[in-house]
Structures are given as structure tokens and as C-alpha cells.
Amino acid sequence: MKKPILPSEITLRFHPSKFLWGWWLVFSIAVLFSLWLSLSPRWAFAGTFFYATACFWQWTQLVATHWRFSVQQLSVDVFGEMIIMNALGQLWRIEVLSDSMVHHGCMVLHIAYTELKTDASEQMNNAHHQKPLLWQWLRPKRLLILFDQADTISQKALRVWLKWGLRE
């Protein structure tokens, strides 16, 4: 039987970061203005297309977006097991890899998905409907968690757990 290592569960429910979206808007205006000011229209259009594609890709990797695999919630139970929930409602058991960064203002968590948490009846149904390899590639592998995306107490508890609790 496992022994609890945390006094209570840590749960972060994410919402979009106004700080991130504000800086993205300012940066995008500067990039597009520079493209259209300094390049010919054909090259500026190509640069705008590639920039829009890169922005869409980055949007799919952010927490708390409407993208189907976007992480909406992260929790650590009393035994130290980390679980994320995506926009589809799937619960995934994850491991935080060693190259993650934890800072007061933000956390960048490099994660590895270990297993999908389902009950026995759902496993029987999912065995016949495996998702293609493309879906595994589209899941976020790094989570950028900024100071304004969840409540302060939960973020502080997660920071302490990531800095000191994972060493045990």
C-alpha cells in the first residue's frame, strides 16, 4: 500500500493568460508591420502565411485554449501522481521530465504521457478505436504556465512540489 506524501491534493484549473495574449498581440503587430514595410508584397505575403502557421501551432500547444488536446487542468494527488485533463475530458497520467523549469513567474514543464486513465469498460471500447499517430504528435509536450493562469495558492503549492517533492 502506498504511503501519502502530500497533505492534500494540488489542483490547478487553467484559464487563458491575458499577459501572454497581450504580448502576443504587440509582438504580432510589430512582426507584420516589419514584414510588410521591408519586403515586396509577394515575400511579405509568404512571411505572413508562415508566421500565421507558426502562431497556430503555438496556440495548439498552450494550456487553456479551445484546442481539443489543450490541457485544462493539472493535479497532483496525495501519492505524488500527476494527472492532466485535456479539453476532451481525457485524464492522462504524466511524468515531469528533468529539463523542466520552475520559476516564480512561470513554469515550463516538459511532460511525458504515461497512460490514459480509463475504467475497464472504456478500455474495451477504446481498444478498437485507437487514435492515429498524428494525434500523439499534436498533444502538447511542454506546458507554459504563467502567473495569471491559475490561482496563486495552487501555483505556489505546485512550484514547491516540483522543486522539492519530486526529489524523493
Side-chain angles (χ1 to χ4, degrees):
M1 180 138 202
K2 285 186 174 182
K3 179 182 170 189
I5 55 178
L6 287 173
S8 65
E9 184 175 294
I10 302 168
T11 302
L12 278 80
R13 288 180 183 80
F14 298 114
H15 53 273
S17 171
K18 292 178 183 171
F19 178 78
L20 180 67
W21 288 110
W23 275 108
W24 173 80
L25 180 64
V26 169
F27 184 76
S28 293
I29 290 170
V31 165
L32 294 176
F33 182 73
S34 298
L35 279 174
W36 285 94
L37 189 63
S38 62
L39 298 176
S40 67
R42 180 174 46 190
W43 287 105
F45 180 76
T48 302
F49 174 75
F50 287 120
Y51 182 72
T53 304
C55 286
F56 175 75
W57 170 253
Q58 189 57 40
W59 178 79
T60 65
Q61 302 300 301
L62 294 176
V63 298
T65 62
H66 294 294
W67 176 249
R68 65 185 326 166
F69 300 115
S70 174
V71 175
Q72 304 296 316
Q73 179 177 321
L74 183 139
S75 61
V76 182
D77 67 6
V78 294
F79 301 108
E81 181 179 286
M82 296 185 80
I83 298 169
I84 59 170
M85 182 179 76
N86 62 16
L88 293 172
Q90 297 173 332
L91 297 173
W92 286 91
R93 186 173 292 130
I94 62 166
E95 291 179 10
V96 176
L97 302 177
S98 62
D99 62 341
S100 299
M101 188 219 40
V102 179
H103 188 267
H104 181 71
C106 72
M107 293 178 268
V108 179
L109 305 180
H110 185 189
I111 61 172
Y113 293 82
T114 56
E115 70 175 295
L116 177 65
K117 292 187 65 167
T118 57
D119 61 3
S121 62
E122 288 181 23
Q123 278 184 336
M124 296 292 283
N125 292 335
N126 288 339
H128 300 293
H129 299 92
Q130 292 294 325
K131 298 291 182 195
L133 186 62
L134 176 66
W135 295 127
Q136 293 176 10
W137 184 67
L138 290 174
R139 290 187 305 210
K141 304 290 187 286
R142 286 184 172 76
L143 305 179
L144 171 64
I145 304 169
L146 294 175
F147 62 91
D148 66 340
Q149 288 187 299
D151 65 299
T152 308
I153 296 169
S154 297
Q155 278 193 336
K156 183 177 180 181
L158 181 64
R159 265 195 318 273
V160 169
W161 166 249
L162 290 171
K163 281 191 173 191
W164 305 105
L166 287 178
R167 294 181 181 181
E168 295 178 359

